[in-house]
Amino acid sequence: MSTNHVPQGAGHLRAETATAGAATATAPQPGWSPDQGSKDATFPKALVGVDERLGAAKMMRWGLGKVFPDHWSFLLGEIAMYSMIIALITGTFLTLWFVPSMGHVVYDGSYVPLKGVAMSEAYASTLDISFEVKGGLLIRQLHHWSALFFIVGIAVHAARVFFTGAFRKPREINWVIGVVMSLLACIEGFAGYSLPDDLLSGTGIRAMNGFMMSAPVIGTWMTFFVFGGEFPGESIITRLYIAHVLLIPAILVGLFVAHLILIVLPKHTQYPGPGRTNDNVAGFPVMPVYAAKAGGFFFVVFGITALVSALVQINPVWVFGPYDPTQVTAGSQPDFYMWFSDGALRLLPGWLEFELWGTTWSFNIFLGSLLLLPLVWLILGVYPFVEAWITGDKREHHLLQRPRNAPVRTAVGMAAISMYLVLALACINDILAIKLHLSINDLTILFRVLFFVLPVVVFFVVKRLCLSLQRHDRETVLHGWETGRVVRTEEGRFFEVHAPLDEYTRWSLVEYETPRPLGQLDGAPTDEHGVRRPAGPLTGLRNALSSFYYKDSITAVTPSELAAAHHHGEHEALETPEEAARIDQHGAPVSEAPGDDYYTKGLKAGRHS
Amino acid sequence: MSTHHDNLPATAEPAEDRFTNPGFPPHTPRRSDVDERAARRASVQVVTLFTISALASIAFLVAYYAIDPELKGSIIGIGEVNLFHVVLGLTMGLSLLGIGLGAVHWAKTLMPDEESVEERHTMASAQEDRDAVGRQLSHGWRSTHLNRRSALLGSAGGALGLFALPLVVPVLAGLGPRPRGELYTTNWEAGKRLMIDPSGAPIRAADVTQGSVFHVMPDGFVGAAAHELDPQDMMTSKAKDQVILVKLDPAKIKSQKQRDWGYDGIVAYSKVCTHVGCPVALYEQQTHHLLCPCHQSTFDMTDDCKVIFGPAKRPLPQLPITVDDEGYIVAVDGFREPIGPSFWERKRPGILMEDEG
């Protein structure tokens, strides 16, 4: 039976004991049984009218029975989803009081330190929400925190999808939708925290003005059109507002619905495990377990957001004061999701600005702002297609991978994250310099170096870690668990007893498959007549990348290897007990681990030569 | 591996030498499945959580009306807080968490915990469907004469391509005035006094002591006079006219131009960073360095404000100054180059102002 085509259904896949039990059950259904419906149950009369008009029964039958696999990492996307809903709810609340205007007023509210200060209506109304509207501050903090959780949720969810290979066919389109959503979420967040028109957010808008001006050719025009003229003008808050409350949320919600539909249609991915195949999905049906868990989790996320909003102050705009273009505070940082871009601006050296035919090209700014954002998201968006091309894999994948079983992808992902983190930390270089008593100049130079060096180091370390974990898995399969029980033989030798794995545990460690480099597929590519096909210009690149990805792969243990390992052990035991004890004690020496036979003997060309 | 199909990537091990899926492991019942007391205990826990939620919701409403919104208190580890806000948040959090944790606990202890299995179906349509769609599209193409009368396609395409322009162009064109000379000019002009911000007092050169630093705005845009201005003009002026004035030891000034444009060691520079436009607000008196807090561009005050560190490229523009008949510091002229961040046409104002000659 090929592993990818285990026939559907639980019954015959289930281990013997369970099937036997289920078949003979005539007594009342046990509590864990998935179907405890009454035999006499009928379709609710109240819904008959709805069904006649909408076919509700068909939809409910399809929807209520849908199965969703259960794993903690699947909750990460739900955090993002629920946080978005919380932000929508609380944001609607805020629109009832917020005045998106840069018109000037003199503050006369209950916050004494700002009494009589001239400010914009946007800032004054934000103060009113914080001080005059009862509970307004709570809603404001809920809104800001949920927005942050939304973006954190997106980030960790995207990392989960990336490192488990969930983006592979047929889910590439949904990955792209998610990538677009994450970019929109960041822009939405930036637009949102710019609205109060306090000193901090005004400084952010001032910087945005500078970014836009740096765009070659169109920068000046674009800036004047977005700001309605010279900085600061009186339009930008109003325009950011309509983008923040209508345009971007509408697109986000639309994409979010599409994202959900594209999760449900091909059914959710699942982690590999005994019984789980590429053709089935095992989990809990919507009615009742998944509905209770997912619905309950919404309240958990909302509840935690409320607790955080109650106890942890965020964006106290009254402390910053109204925006004044002549003022700035030390330690001005954007919200964390914009750190990497602002950090890039701190690291890019001034010599990247140059003049060409009398025109000014500010790549020291353009590169870190207007170019960096689309570039990062473009790379994210095309990754699934690039990896599929490198792998030469056109199959559908519904079983997730453990990150260690895709060592190069995991290492590439971690290297990219390390680059991102360097940029993000560079954005708080002034704070770090103060807290760590370092020179800000040294720190900036260090980050410049780290940006290039750290990803390389991280790549090699993570790749080696993955390979080591894979070898460890192999070792576990071949020699069993270490029991911690040390036995002394009659001759006085000591060895540790290893317990064999049960077949369910073993399956999780051996089910994965390992692609090998494309260049080693069949030798020279030939057409159906055996004539050698000329290699395209990209073939070399593809083969090189494929080799980079898969040349060091470590394959899963096969049954014959396991048999050989057992046989090997017994054989040795007959001839030299010391050898057997040594193997029992330390596991097989690395050079003799069957996985390495592939490479040392070149039998199955697991390694690029 | 001669059997490998185009659709399948080669893997390092042949398909036949693989372990087979052992199938689902037998189900282990939970405690609450086999022990009625455990089930009852779980049920009580769930009910308790829901009850806490209900009580917290009521407590929220009571607090909303009963507590003074101005009430302050202090919490260990947090410090002084608005108690009204904290109580509202805590009760709301409990009300939500009670429901959430209750539902999850209920699902985990009392609802079925044996997984169901569904079969997956490929997303791809059957070949029959694809063929049918192919015929439908072909029918659409031919039955509308598109295959024979190319003018139809061309004109329809042209019309569709253009119809959005009347909607889009007025919106885009109406967004803002096009840039002209604004980026090249400030409110500084010959004879304009440098006034201290925010008081609006003029600065007598003789009164400026060694090492003093002033934040300066042009006469008429600061102090009482500023209240007469249109607020937008005032904000624009603040954004581009801000100047930092420092009195240095003339011997320390390294640039002759800087000395010439200053007066007796007093020099004035635009305070708008040449990187992205933040105010260059941090002046270190010992080193004479000016630091922009936004991205840490550092300018050397003694060397014509050249960039000595950070992402900015150009020095801060200097405002040429002198003193008038009464001994007050005035501008000799406006800035002689655009202040603030770089932009594409910076060195070629003609590109933006060609029609103004």
Side-chain angles (χ1 to χ4, degrees):
Chain A
M1 186 162 61
S2 156
T3 48
N4 283 332
H5 297 285
V6 177
Q8 69 286 356
H12 61 285
L13 266 178
R14 206 164 289 287
E16 284 310 312
T17 48
T19 5
T24 54
T26 47
Q29 297 273 18
W32 65 81
S33 166
D35 184 6
Q36 299 175 57
S38 156
K39 289 208 168 48
D40 312 324
T42 55
F43 189 63
K45 284 208 175 52
L47 292 178
V48 168
V50 184
D51 182 48
E52 282 167 0
R53 286 162 182 85
L54 302 175
K58 266 178 295 191
M59 286 191 273
M60 289 169 74
R61 184 175 183 191
W62 179 81
L64 295 179
K66 264 208 114 28
V67 160
F68 285 89
D70 211 26
H71 191 270
W72 64 266
S73 71
F74 300 158
L75 296 182
L76 301 173
E78 287 187 34
I79 294 178
M81 169 166 82
Y82 296 146
S83 298
M84 186 183 86
I85 294 169
I86 298 166
L88 284 170
I89 296 170
T90 52
T92 308
F93 184 111
L94 293 176
T95 60
L96 302 179
W97 289 278
F98 181 69
V99 184
S101 155
M102 296 171 88
H104 285 248
V105 292
V106 173
Y107 182 68
D108 188 28
S110 62
Y111 184 65
V112 178
L114 288 176
K115 254 190 199 306
V117 173
M119 57 182 63
S120 67
E121 286 184 274
Y123 185 63
S125 60
T126 310
L127 293 177
D128 286 347
I129 291 173
S130 309
F131 295 113
E132 320 303 331
V133 179
K134 280 177 91 177
L137 179 61
L138 180 64
I139 302 292
R140 248 199 72 218
Q141 303 221 121
L142 268 170
H143 190 65
H144 204 133
W145 276 117
S146 62
L148 292 183
F149 292 157
F150 177 37
I151 296 176
V152 174
I154 288 179
V156 287
H157 168 63
R160 193 282 291 173
V161 169
F162 180 85
F163 288 116
T164 58
F167 56 78
R168 293 174 298 167
K169 191 179 173 185
R171 293 182 179 76
E172 305 99 321
I173 295 170
N174 219 15
W175 167 264
V176 172
I177 291 176
V179 165
V180 174
M181 284 175 79
S182 71
L183 176 59
L184 286 176
C186 291
I187 298 173
E188 173 75 349
F190 179 83
Y193 77 66
S194 295
L195 291 180
D197 204 22
D198 55 289
L199 184 56
L200 183 62
S201 73
T203 304
I205 294 181
R206 168 81 254 201
M208 181 180 95
N209 180 276
F211 305 159
M212 294 176 69
M213 291 232 287
S214 73
V217 188
I218 58 164
T220 316
W221 285 69
M222 182 167 70
T223 315
F224 270 62
F225 277 47
V226 168
F227 280 78
E230 237 181 319
F231 181 82
E234 290 201 314
S235 308
I236 187 65
I237 297 280
T238 317
R239 288 175 183 178
L240 283 175
Y241 179 73
I242 204 63
H244 181 73
V245 303
L246 181 72
L247 293 178
I248 303 175
I251 302 172
L252 266 178
V253 168
L255 290 174
F256 160 70
V257 171
H259 202 66
L260 286 192
I261 291 174
L262 288 186
I263 289 169
V264 170
L265 281 186
K267 300 191 171 80
H268 203 287
T269 51
Q270 59 185 349
Y271 282 95
R276 292 159 194 268
T277 73
N278 208 34
D279 297 322
N280 72 8
V281 53
F284 294 107
V286 168
M287 191 76 189
V289 180
Y290 185 74
K293 281 189 175 176
F297 191 56
F298 167 72
F299 286 94
V300 171
V301 172
F302 203 163
I304 289 175
T305 312
L307 290 186
V308 171
S309 305
L311 296 173
V312 190
Q313 186 178 65
I314 187 158
N315 201 22
V317 289
W318 54 91
V319 176
F320 308 142
Y323 179 57
D324 179 335
T326 64
Q327 290 174 13
V328 68
T329 50
S332 292
Q333 264 82 26
D335 270 2
F336 79 91
Y337 42 86
M338 285 289 165
W339 280 9
F340 77 104
S341 179
D342 202 55
L345 285 172
R346 294 174 189 223
L347 296 190
L348 286 165
W351 52 259
L352 286 169
E353 177 175 314
F354 55 88
E355 275 163 19
L356 213 57
W357 303 298
T359 52
T360 308
W361 301 68
S362 301
F363 273 82
N364 53 338
I365 304 166
F366 184 60
L367 208 59
S369 54
L370 294 191
L371 207 57
L372 180 71
L373 269 92
L375 191 68
V376 167
W377 269 270
L378 184 72
I379 292 171
L380 277 174
V382 300
Y383 184 81
F385 306 99
V386 173
E387 194 191 283
W389 180 67
I390 291 172
T391 313
D393 192 352
K394 298 190 178 71
R395 295 170 303 168
E396 291 194 2
H397 291 279
H398 303 287
L399 280 177
L400 297 174
Q401 292 168 301
R402 301 169 83 199
R404 70 184 60 172
N405 289 334
V408 175
R409 178 207 296 148
T410 305
V412 166
M414 290 307 292
I417 288 176
S418 75
M419 283 172 107
Y420 177 91
L421 286 180
V422 169
L423 292 182
L425 287 177
C427 178
I428 52 168
N429 58 354
D430 46 347
I431 312 243
L432 289 175
I434 292 169
K435 298 274 179 207
L436 303 175
H437 303 288
L438 291 170
S439 143
I440 192 163
N441 302 15
D442 294 347
L443 207 54
T444 305
I445 291 163
L446 175 72
F447 282 133
R448 281 177 182 163
V449 175
L450 278 183
F451 179 77
F452 294 102
V453 173
L454 193 64
V456 178
V457 174
V458 166
F459 175 84
F460 282 106
V461 169
V462 172
K463 184 180 163 190
R464 285 297 133 193
L465 268 177
C466 288
L467 294 176
S468 305
L469 287 167
Q470 282 190 301
R471 281 172 194 275
H472 178 76
D473 284 348
R474 284 186 61 89
E475 204 125 293
T476 310
V477 172
L478 291 171
H479 305 293
W481 304 116
E482 292 174 3
T483 58
R485 193 161 65 85
V486 177
V487 172
R488 203 180 85 161
T489 63
E490 286 166 3
E491 305 91 55
R493 298 180 200 288
F494 291 89
F495 66 92
E496 186 184 3
V497 176
H498 285 224
L501 301 185
D502 67 74
E503 58 174 342
Y504 303 117
T505 317
R506 185 175 65 212
W507 172 247
S508 300
L509 299 179
V510 299
E511 59 75 34
Y512 72 93
E513 53 179 37
T514 310
R516 59 177 189 149
L518 288 176
Q520 300 175 6
L521 272 182
D522 307 298
T526 53
D527 65 13
E528 62 270 30
H529 306 297
V531 179
R532 196 172 187 282
R533 268 190 215 143
L538 284 173
T539 312
L541 172 68
R542 189 185 185 189
N543 286 347
L545 282 171
S546 184
S547 162
F548 171 72
Y549 260 68
Y550 300 118
K551 69 180 154 91
D552 294 328
S553 306
I554 293 193
T555 55
V557 175
T558 62
S560 44
E561 283 173 339
L562 183 61
H566 285 173
H567 176 72
H568 182 68
E570 287 159 14
H571 183 72
E572 298 281 355
L574 285 175
E575 291 190 351
T576 54
E578 309 95 275
E579 191 71 5
R582 189 173 61 77
I583 290 172
D584 269 339
Q585 196 169 1
H586 304 295
V590 173
S591 62
E592 287 178 24
D596 288 312
D597 290 352
Y598 284 164
Y599 312 128
T600 49
K601 296 174 189 166
L603 283 179
K604 295 186 176 135
R607 171 171 288 186
H608 178 68
S609 46
Chain B
M1 295 288 281
S2 57
T3 54
H4 105 266
H5 192 270
D6 257 356
N7 201 21
L8 301 176
T11 49
E13 63 281 324
E16 54 271 19
D17 190 17
R18 297 293 310 253
F19 284 95
T20 50
N21 195 325
F24 290 97
H27 179 250
T28 323
R30 293 162 298 188
R31 195 121 177 249
S32 53
D33 290 328
V34 290
D35 180 358
E36 176 55 26
R37 279 191 315 179
R40 204 178 315 124
R41 201 160 50 235
S43 157
V44 169
Q45 286 160 348
V46 172
V47 170
T48 309
L49 285 165
F50 287 152
T51 311
I52 289 175
S53 164
L55 291 176
S57 296
I58 295 167
F60 179 98
L61 295 176
V62 171
Y64 185 82
Y65 287 107
I67 299 183
D68 172 15
E70 309 277 317
L71 185 67
K72 296 271 192 292
S74 67
I75 296 181
I76 300 163
I78 295 180
E80 199 193 59
V81 292
N82 179 327
L83 272 186
F84 176 71
H85 163 81
V86 169
V87 171
L88 287 194
L90 290 181
T91 49
M92 180 190 273
L94 277 185
S95 141
L96 294 160
L97 273 179
I99 296 177
L101 295 176
V104 172
H105 192 54
W106 184 3
K108 286 179 93 83
T109 52
L110 296 170
M111 295 185 192
D113 85 323
E114 194 173 33
E115 291 184 316
S116 316
V117 179
E118 266 190 317
E119 200 188 342
R120 269 183 219 278
H121 309 281
T122 169
M123 291 292 281
S125 317
Q127 191 55 43
E128 190 191 340
D129 295 326
R130 293 180 178 180
D131 293 342
V133 170
R135 279 193 303 279
Q136 282 169 334
L137 292 176
S138 165
H139 170 71
W141 181 255
R142 288 156 168 268
S143 63
T144 50
H145 299 214
L146 282 172
N147 58 332
R148 291 185 288 135
R149 306 181 204 279
S150 58
L152 281 174
L153 185 64
S155 59
L160 281 173
L162 290 172
F163 95 96
L165 290 181
L167 298 171
V168 171
V169 168
V171 174
L172 285 183
L175 274 178
R178 50 158 292 187
R180 289 188 188 273
E182 297 91 338
L183 295 174
Y184 302 95
T185 55
T186 63
N187 293 306
W188 291 106
E189 56 194 21
K192 189 85 114 176
R193 275 188 183 166
L194 280 70
M195 313 294 259
I196 295 175
D197 184 38
S199 69
I203 308 166
R204 194 189 295 273
D207 297 344
V208 181
T209 54
Q210 192 84 350
S212 342
V213 187
F214 294 107
H215 177 231
V216 165
M217 290 288 289
D219 189 12
F221 292 88
V222 68
H227 296 301
E228 311 296 316
L229 288 174
D230 175 67
Q232 190 182 352
D233 293 341
M234 189 190 69
M235 289 296 268
T236 311
S237 159
K238 283 186 169 199
K240 59 203 267 190
D241 297 336
Q242 48 181 316
V243 157
I244 185 165
L245 180 138
V246 179
K247 176 151 183 178
L248 300 167
D249 177 0
K252 281 193 176 156
I253 297 177
K254 294 171 192 150
S255 144
Q256 187 57 41
K257 170 231 154 194
Q258 182 181 7
R259 214 172 288 135
D260 294 346
W261 288 20
Y263 178 82
D264 191 22
I266 304 173
V267 288
Y269 282 89
S270 164
K271 215 181 109 181
V272 186
C273 186
T274 55
H275 182 226
V276 293
C278 293
V280 188
L282 301 178
Y283 179 62
E284 261 187 328
Q285 223 142 16
Q286 300 303 313
T287 55
H288 306 292
H289 290 171
L290 253 180
L291 181 87
C292 178
C294 282
H295 303 97
Q296 285 89 44
S297 295
T298 313
F299 304 88
D300 186 354
M301 211 25 141
T302 61
D303 194 11
D304 203 18
C305 277
K306 288 206 176 100
V307 181
I308 52 170
F309 192 78
K313 158 89 170 187
R314 290 176 293 103
L316 295 172
Q318 187 178 5
L319 182 71
I321 53 169
T322 183
V323 291
D324 61 11
D325 307 341
E326 297 171 61
Y328 291 110
I329 301 175
V330 295
V332 172
D333 198 358
F335 284 105
R336 290 175 182 165
E337 60 177 311
I339 58 102
S342 301
F343 52 100
W344 196 65
E345 304 91 340
R346 190 175 173 277
K347 278 284 183 70
R348 297 185 63 178
I351 299 175
L352 291 176
M353 299 187 283
E354 79 287 346
D355 43 350
E356 291 166 14

